[in-house]
DNA sequence: ATGAAAGCGCTAACAT
DNA sequence: ATGTTAGCGCTTTCAT
């Protein structure tokens, strides 16, 4: 294989002309295009602009081109200008793999997630989160590599990606107490940042949205609307994300001087059907709650469905709040708690790139605040 | 920098022992670990297994290792075995960038998408589609690189990814007539596959789900349930995906001998609110329709909301069908049309990899069939 | 300020 | 059947 310069020598044409001829640009006459084509064919050359072509056109060494590319050493403005011009003329883009091979990084961030059988899992927000991460990463010259994480968490996937130098770091979501991925990554020293956290005694970079505050907002809102008998639908114990939200409920009631009433707290699996049944149970309690807070939107939907079935209306007869403000919440006019996903994504990326590039940011653990979005399901004053 | 073999020579230890010592494995005594550590430090060596280390341990050349790695030439079973053993012992994984630099491919597939302001856009299915693609790609040794596609489509993003050799090919979704991305990619010769299609006269690989059939299924179902006055809520004209679905509606009515009644066809923008208003309009028509088919689930939600507001019940008073079977459909018990997303993803990947590797599959344009999912919103016989 | 050259880890053509 | 070696395109010392 040859390069542009050789072609230029053979055809006795300027390098730039050769390039333009190969690109089929109209600025070059058909005759010249033909001539260059022939020469290229005979040399078995296919157009592929490298740093060497740029160097040849700018009449400098490849080292100099690399320098202006990376803004390292100062280059004489005039030289720099020539190089930039050549880069522009040839529409040159550095080969990411050659770059990576040399400098041993990929500028790729891995993100794996589960298939969500269960439409209500936190990653119903995945679309937004992933998009926002991709966007944030691009500003730093990074991209996101997504991979499928089988529901039975397999460290093998992570190991593979790391060992093959596919990625520089990882983003973790849906983590829980003693998450084995966190344990593994901590041990192997691979840069990563988690959306959420595990047990407090593990130290690793993370971005969290304050779940206790979120639930607090929801329940305070219900109280402000005149409710005092407030039920809670929550996930089974043992999930950090759920436990934190339940704590918010407990806190607010305590602060308001409303005693906790056990029959009003129902722990269920995350589905519309379970929530439907739980609502039936809740409304059979004595006294019956006038409002129901849920640890996520899916459960709230189940509540709503049961209410409809027995002829009650959400927001009028019984107030409901969901959590996560998934798109569905807006569609069915459900009051919910919104997480600042774009902020989470931006922070996750910022912290991760700090870890990757060996310049850790000062605050590696961020706690963001959710906000309350009031809709018809709880708007009415009691 | 040095390698394992040199360390082994200096310490007069077997290569494998040196590796295990560096890994801190318990099979090596603390004393030896210490000795190796010291030697490594003095040589400024950091553990990084390359093909050369494997070759040294298996006592073959790097060429041989590469051969067994790529299954090219036949190697003597015994040699092959030794190499495999060494790879295993050292937990060796080839560096993806070195591999890519040499062979000029990344084994990365680009996928860009819009932020969906509008929760009802087709890519509400993104979560599933992306996951399924990632999964399918992994079976071929590929991964997905996701990037943010600003809503104002900019070819620059695509160009950048291609020119920097970031990706081997692309997957396109949400395409429309005369899509400029398709035009650009077609011209530049970059491998790509689209989910959906543009004008018929453009020839490029694609996977589509038959929208005409989908709507046909929905309307036939309504007719079978005893409906004859069927309204249609659809997107504005000019979107291929919508036009095709409308055609399905027209076809079925024609086949059933039901004349088309213009006031029952309402073209609106894709939102709950627009659908809400359109339903009001539809129900004011004379005669009023007894069923409403929608070109997607979001609109169906708007219909449902209006019905509820005026005290009618979906499925009892007026039948409703949605389209796309987004998670929301199940949650609100909405009859909908399901697209076989997993099949789409698998086919898209299969075709794309065929294009990338220069072995195009025979059928580059696939038309898949959607299925009807009947739920409470249309189950009742009239 | 710029150039020359080594080499990142791998593949594949060629040699033995 | 296996070994040797020349790059892939880039970054980065080290000279000049």
């Amino acid at each position: 294989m040859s390069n542009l310069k050789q072609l230029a020598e053979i055809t006795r044409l300027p390098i730039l002309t050769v390039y333009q001829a190969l690109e089929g640009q109209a600025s070059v006459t058909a005759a010249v295009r033909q001539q260059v084509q022939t020469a290229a064919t005979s040399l078995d050359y296919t157009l592929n602009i490298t740093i060497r072509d740029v160097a040849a056109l700018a009449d400098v060494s490849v080292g100099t081109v690399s320098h202006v590319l990376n803004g390292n050493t100062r280059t004489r403005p005039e030289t720099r200008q020539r190089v930039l011009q050549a880069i522009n003329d040839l529409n040159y883009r550095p080969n990411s793999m050659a770059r990576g091979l040399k400098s041993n990084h990929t500028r790729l961030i891995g993100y794996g997630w589960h298939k969500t059988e269960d439409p209500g899992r936190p990653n119903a927000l995945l679309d937004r989160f992933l998009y926002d991460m991709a966007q944030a990463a691009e500003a730093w010259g990074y991209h996101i590599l997504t991979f499928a994480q089988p529901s039975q968490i397999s460290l093998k996937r992570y190991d593979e990606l790391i060992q093959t130098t596919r990625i520089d770091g990882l983003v973790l979501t849906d983590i829980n107490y003693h998450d084995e991925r966190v344990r593994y990554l901590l041990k192997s020293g691979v840069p990563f940042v988690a959306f959420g956290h595990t047990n407090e005694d593990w130290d690793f970079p993370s971005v969290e949205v304050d779940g206790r505050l979120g639930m607090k907002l929801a329940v305070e809102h219900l109280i402000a609307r005149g409710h005092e008998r407030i039920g809670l639908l929550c996930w089974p114990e043992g999930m950090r994300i759920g436990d934190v939200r339940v704590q918010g409920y407990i806190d607010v009631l305590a602060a308001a001087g409303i005693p906790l009433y056990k029959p009003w707290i129902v722990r269920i699996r995350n589905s519309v059907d379970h929530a439907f049944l739980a609502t039936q149970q809740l409304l059979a309690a004595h006294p019956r709650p006038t409002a129901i807070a849920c640890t996520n939107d899916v459960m709230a939907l189940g509540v709503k469905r049961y209410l409809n079935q027995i002829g009650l209306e959400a927001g009028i007869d019984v107030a409901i709040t969901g959590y996560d403000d998934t798109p569905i919440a807006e569609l069915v006019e459900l009051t919910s708690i919104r997480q600042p996903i774009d902020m989470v994504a931006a922070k996750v990326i910022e912290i991760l790139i700090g870890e990757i590039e060996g310049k850790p940011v000062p605050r590696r653990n961020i706690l963001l605040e959710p906000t309350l979005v009031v809709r018809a399901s709880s708007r009415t004053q009691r």
Side-chain angles (χ1 to χ4, degrees), chain A:
Chain A
M1 194 73 80
S2 34
N3 58 40
L4 270 192
K5 190 175 183 185
Q6 291 172 22
L7 255 189
E9 279 162 6
I10 291 173
T11 56
R12 299 171 161 277
L13 254 24
I15 292 178
L16 189 53
T17 306
V18 171
Y19 168 73
Q20 290 167 344
L22 253 17
E23 275 280 295
Q25 288 181 16
S27 60
V28 182
T29 67
V32 171
R33 284 212 297 270
Q34 184 57 48
Q35 181 198 356
V36 174
Q37 283 297 356
T38 313
T41 307
S42 76
L43 274 175
D44 195 27
Y45 175 77
T46 48
L47 189 55
N48 180 21
I49 302 300
T50 75
I51 197 173
R52 254 182 286 269
D53 297 317
V54 174
L57 179 57
D59 199 27
V60 295
S61 74
V62 296
T64 302
V65 177
S66 180
H67 284 149
V68 351
L69 237 31
N70 297 292
N72 289 342
T73 326
R74 43 178 175 214
T75 317
R76 216 170 55 205
E78 183 212 302
T79 313
R80 193 184 150 72
Q81 216 31 256
R82 269 214 324 283
V83 172
L84 257 18
Q85 183 66 48
I87 288 174
N88 192 58
D89 287 346
L90 299 174
N91 192 28
Y92 166 73
R93 296 283 178 283
N95 180 308
S96 65
M97 282 179 301
R99 233 178 191 179
L101 176 57
K102 186 71 212 173
S103 47
N104 206 35
H105 65 230
T106 59
R107 293 191 156 258
L108 243 28
I109 292 168
Y111 177 57
W113 78 106
H114 300 52
K115 182 168 195 160
T116 141
E117 318 290 353
D118 176 350
R121 300 185 59 251
N123 55 15
L125 272 24
L126 165 72
D127 187 345
R128 272 295 302 281
F129 183 56
L130 188 49
Y131 183 93
D132 289 341
M133 280 205 299
Q135 181 142 295
E138 278 165 45
W140 301 81
Y142 282 71
H143 289 279
I144 310 289
L145 181 155
T146 51
F147 61 98
Q149 159 78 65
S151 43
Q152 181 246 333
I153 293 178
S154 132
L155 265 14
K156 208 166 149 274
R157 278 300 211 296
Y158 290 85
D159 190 54
E160 196 75 25
L161 252 12
I162 294 159
Q163 298 273 353
T164 55
T165 334
R166 262 302 203 187
I167 53 174
D168 292 343
L170 284 155
V171 173
L172 259 37
T173 54
D174 297 315
I175 67 174
N176 201 353
Y177 301 119
H178 301 96
D179 194 288
E180 52 176 328
R181 294 167 299 170
V182 173
R183 183 183 286 129
Y184 170 74
L185 293 172
L186 236 21
K187 199 180 65 175
S188 66
V190 179
F192 75 99
V193 176
F195 176 7
H197 209 279
T198 63
N199 9 329
E200 308 292 349
D201 56 323
W202 285 11
D203 176 33
F204 58 89
S206 69
V207 178
E208 244 191 314
V209 180
D210 193 338
R212 191 194 294 213
L213 172 59
M215 189 54 82
K216 188 162 168 261
L217 258 24
V219 179
E220 278 176 347
H221 157 70
L222 291 171
I223 292 175
R225 282 296 189 270
H227 297 277
E228 288 184 354
R229 304 201 304 273
I230 301 171
L232 177 68
L233 248 47
C234 49
W235 293 309
E237 283 179 87
M239 287 175 64
R240 179 185 152 98
I241 184 173
D243 294 352
V244 166
R245 293 181 188 179
V246 170
Q247 194 56 50
Y249 169 86
I250 294 172
D251 290 353
V252 174
L253 292 197
I258 301 174
L260 225 54
Y261 184 52
K262 274 289 164 64
W264 291 343
I265 302 180
V266 186
R267 291 194 175 261
I268 54 169
R269 289 191 40 218
N270 190 41
S271 84
V272 171
D273 291 342
H274 285 93
F276 184 91
L277 263 20
T279 308
Q280 184 170 27
Q281 175 186 337
L282 228 31
L283 296 189
H286 298 284
R288 75 150 55 166
T290 62
I292 301 176
C294 303
T295 48
N296 84 356
D297 290 343
V298 170
M299 293 186 192
L301 240 38
V303 176
K304 210 170 176 207
R305 190 182 293 175
Y306 181 77
L307 255 31
N308 284 159
Q309 168 148 329
I310 61 171
L312 297 183
E313 190 167 347
I316 305 293
D317 304 302
V318 176
I320 311 176
T321 63
Y323 203 111
D324 283 342
D325 196 38
T326 45
I328 221 170
E330 182 174 1
L331 297 174
V332 303
E333 299 181 280
L334 174 68
T335 293
S336 196
I337 300 297
R338 174 176 298 167
Q339 313 209 31
I341 294 296
D342 51 344
M343 278 294 293
V344 174
K347 275 295 172 194
V348 161
I349 294 300
E350 183 193 338
I351 297 173
L352 181 54
I353 291 176
E355 300 290 309
I356 289 171
E357 300 187 346
K359 318 161 192 159
V361 298
R363 295 270 301 114
R364 299 198 322 164
N365 292 282
I366 307 280
L367 188 63
L368 263 18
E369 301 196 345
T371 50
L372 172 73
V373 182
V374 178
R375 300 202 181 87
S377 76
S378 72
R379 190 146 27 211
T380 310
Q381 183 72 34
R382 186 172 179 72

